[in-house]
Amino acid sequence: MAPRDCTPSPSPRTSTFQHDLPLHSTPRSLSVVESIYSQSQYSESSDSTAASSVDDARPLRSLRPGIYVPTVTFFEPDTEDLDLDIISKHAVRLAKAGVAGLTTQGSNGEAVHLTHQERKLVTKATRNALDSAGFHTMPIIVGCGSQSTRETIELCREAMTSGGDYALVLPPSYYKAMYKPECLIEFFEEVAEASPIPILIYNYPGAVAGIDMDSDVIIKLAKHPNIVGCKLTCGNTGKLGRIASSVDAVTPSEDGSGFMCMGGSADFTLQTLVVGGSGIICGLGNIAPKACVKVIELYAAGKTEEAKKLQVVVAHGDWAAISGGIVGTKSALETYYGYGGFARKPLPRPSEQDVMRYASGFKELVELEKSLA
């Protein structure tokens, strides 16, 4: 059998980078892609049948420039069951710190360790906690990456019915050697066509066998009306600047097109803003959300020198988060905030020496965090 041609067929698309349309507009007829992927395989029947009513009732939660935190998923230490109480309390702590939004099912959320049902429970608990604490308008971005187009779309649907507002999608990578560049473009366009919530492209080469989407590809995909942003954990601020300028990204001072061009690590927050980015989705926000937010506030207020000094402290702290990974982040949360627990196996539990090392790496940043009002 001849290899499948992955070149997308022509279809009408918006010709501008305007992304300020309502999240859920008037009903429309199903596209071919939506029809193909309309049957749910993983979700409970109640999820699929309730999707339209949930869609009609959900409020509009817009993305705005700022700090978004990919939240940690917490487990009971003995059973590794979800600790929904701590998940909820952590979400509220971050919201009270002034972040612009939260992300569930990211790398820090151990999405790869969760079942579909657990993913839904985490997002539902987060949404309920935010609403109960009065943060009704805070958006939740949900990690929905998977290896097949079909399951990725299914995760997007489950994200919506669980209370998620946007989907963060990695490119598939298991069959990397067989992909043509056109296959990834087709993947994102098909997901965007069928997803009931807008999506953000997630470029993180370290998590997807080195696949690194270039600025040309992301700029092309940004023209799709249901693709409303990107997260660049590749750390390439040149790429980020090219995308931001080409799509007229929203910034702390300019509305632009509404497209969110986000950095993926707190250690280049200031650099992201300087080249026209919209903000950061950063795991370090789990440890020091106020400090991360403060960098953006200072820059937006024109206090660049103060922002630079704070950025240095944040960058040092972020290296502790990067080098320690989720194991180190959870350890630091336990040390400094009294909760955190452990990652799911087969990730290791930290030794006493590890705990001391992680605590030392975050010490300066946590002291700063606790000094901020």
Side-chain angles (χ1 to χ4, degrees):
M1 181 181 293
R4 180 188 177 196
D5 182 2
C6 297
T7 306
S9 57
S11 60
R13 302 208 182 278
T14 181
S15 60
T16 65
F17 291 103
Q18 293 298 321
H19 291 86
D20 55 354
L21 298 174
L23 296 190
H24 304 286
S25 54
T26 56
R28 55 188 173 82
S29 59
L30 288 177
S31 68
V32 174
V33 172
E34 290 170 313
S35 299
I36 291 173
Y37 296 112
S38 63
Q39 297 301 314
S40 171
Q41 182 175 1
Y42 299 96
S43 61
E44 298 169 356
S45 59
S46 59
D47 280 347
S48 58
T49 56
S52 59
S53 61
V54 170
D55 184 63
D56 292 339
R58 60 193 293 111
L60 174 65
R61 301 187 183 98
S62 299
L63 297 176
R64 60 183 177 86
I67 293 294
Y68 290 76
V69 183
T71 56
V72 173
T73 298
F74 300 97
F75 305 107
E76 298 285 354
D78 297 326
T79 64
E80 292 194 350
D81 291 339
L82 294 176
D83 190 333
L84 295 176
D85 182 56
I86 297 298
I87 288 169
S88 300
K89 290 178 179 177
H90 183 65
V92 173
R93 173 189 158 233
L94 300 178
K96 289 181 176 179
V99 303
L102 302 181
T103 301
T104 59
Q105 323 311 331
S107 302
N108 279 272
E110 296 183 62
V112 295
H113 289 166
L114 304 179
T115 65
H116 276 248
Q117 181 63 18
E118 287 175 325
R119 285 174 176 241
K120 291 187 287 184
L121 285 171
V122 169
T123 300
K124 285 179 181 177
T126 302
R127 180 74 269 158
N128 290 340
L130 292 175
D131 289 347
S132 296
F135 296 97
H136 304 282
T137 61
M138 179 166 287
I140 297 177
I141 303 169
V142 183
C144 294
S146 184
Q147 293 304 308
S148 72
T149 304
R150 184 185 185 91
E151 187 179 19
T152 302
I153 293 168
E154 187 67 34
L155 288 170
C156 291
R157 290 182 176 140
E158 291 177 357
M160 184 199 70
T161 59
S162 302
D165 302 290
Y166 302 84
L168 183 65
V169 180
L170 283 164
S173 60
Y174 190 84
Y175 295 109
K176 173 187 174 182
M178 300 180 68
Y179 295 145
K180 299 177 181 179
E182 295 83 1
C183 292
L184 293 182
I185 292 174
E186 183 183 60
F187 167 79
F188 278 103
E189 289 185 335
E190 290 195 348
V191 170
E193 285 291 328
S195 173
I197 53 178
I199 71 170
L200 291 87
I201 298 165
Y202 189 4
N203 189 60
Y204 183 11
V208 290
I211 292 176
D212 190 0
M213 301 173 70
D214 63 36
S215 53
D216 290 342
V217 169
I218 295 175
I219 291 166
K220 174 182 173 65
L221 289 170
K223 295 178 182 179
H224 193 288
N226 207 34
I227 296 178
V228 299
C230 62
K231 175 186 178 182
L232 304 185
T233 306
C234 54
N236 187 332
T237 53
K239 178 193 299 185
L240 194 152
R242 288 191 295 274
I243 296 169
S245 64
S246 296
V247 304
D248 190 21
V250 60
T251 72
S253 60
E254 300 287 341
D255 291 339
S257 67
F259 189 90
M260 296 286 289
C261 192
M262 310 284 284
S265 183
D267 63 356
F268 61 99
T269 301
L270 199 54
Q271 299 93 312
T272 292
L273 299 175
V274 167
V275 299
S278 310
I280 300 288
I281 302 177
C282 58
L284 187 65
N286 287 287
I287 300 290
K290 293 178 183 178
C292 293
V293 169
K294 192 68 174 177
V295 174
I296 292 184
E297 290 179 342
L298 289 171
Y299 178 80
K303 300 178 180 180
T304 308
E305 289 304 314
E306 292 181 52
K308 285 168 62 177
K309 292 177 182 177
L310 190 57
Q311 175 67 78
V312 171
V313 179
V314 168
H316 282 295
D318 205 26
W319 178 242
I322 293 168
S323 59
I326 186 58
V327 174
T329 296
K330 285 191 167 184
S331 177
L333 282 169
E334 191 72 54
T335 297
Y336 289 111
Y337 299 102
Y339 68 94
F342 307 107
R344 267 189 175 168
K345 296 178 180 177
L347 285 175
R349 295 194 172 189
S351 64
E352 290 185 13
Q353 184 177 7
D354 290 333
V355 170
M356 293 176 62
R357 176 164 53 87
Y358 296 141
S360 175
F362 286 108
K363 185 174 185 294
E364 180 186 20
L365 179 61
V366 173
E367 289 176 350
L368 171 63
E369 176 74 9
K370 294 184 175 181
S371 73
L372 296 173

